[in-house]
């Protein structure tokens, strides 16, 4: 849950060296609308894109199985889930 997200990570873009703090307090400020985080391992890229003020696309999906849009808490959970398992991380902003 978004309010309970106590995990914090500094997302480091391996291509540019840019560091972006991504956690429940500042995801709204640091992960701007139109930005995409891509995390890759040997096989498949995993992406998180901020669509608008309130919603996010997780790996190309904009809603969960019940049709609810993904919010910042969902995006954080997804980033935390995959960040450690992937070896290359990039962030692109519009």
């Amino acid at each position: 849950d978004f309010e309970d997200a106590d995990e914090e990570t500094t997302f480091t873009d391996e291509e540019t060296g840019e560091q972006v703090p991504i956690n429940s307090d500042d995801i709204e400020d640091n992960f701007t609308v139109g930005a995409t985080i891509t995390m890759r391992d040997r096989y498949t890229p995993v992406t998180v894109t901020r669509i608008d003020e309130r919603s996010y696309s997780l790996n190309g999906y904009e809603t969960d199985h019940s049709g609810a849009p993904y919010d910042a808490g969902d995006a954080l959970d997804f980033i935390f889930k995959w960040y450690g398992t992937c070896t290359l991380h990039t962030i692109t902003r519009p």
Side-chain angles (χ1 to χ4, degrees):
D1 187 68
F2 191 49
E3 289 77 32
D4 305 325
D6 56 355
E7 288 189 74
E8 294 197 15
T9 191
T10 298
F11 189 94
T12 302
D13 185 319
E14 270 88 7
E15 290 180 357
T16 64
E18 178 184 15
Q19 294 193 325
V20 182
I22 301 282
N23 58 60
S24 55
D25 294 331
D26 51 24
I27 187 171
E28 306 281 334
D29 300 325
N30 294 338
F31 189 32
T32 51
V33 172
T36 298
I37 284 174
T38 304
M39 298 172 280
R40 292 181 190 86
D41 63 11
R42 288 181 308 232
Y43 307 107
T44 313
V46 178
T47 59
V48 178
T49 302
R50 184 156 179 201
I51 301 169
D52 57 33
E53 286 304 314
R54 297 197 178 305
S55 56
Y56 295 77
S57 166
L58 307 185
N59 239 9
Y61 295 96
E62 297 181 12
T63 59
D64 64 19
H65 57 277
S66 63
Y70 288 119
D71 63 12
D74 298 317
L76 280 169
D77 290 344
F78 196 74
I79 291 167
F80 293 143
K81 175 182 175 183
W82 290 102
Y83 190 84
T85 65
C86 295
T87 53
L88 179 66
H89 308 84
T90 54
I91 184 167
T92 52
R93 289 191 174 93

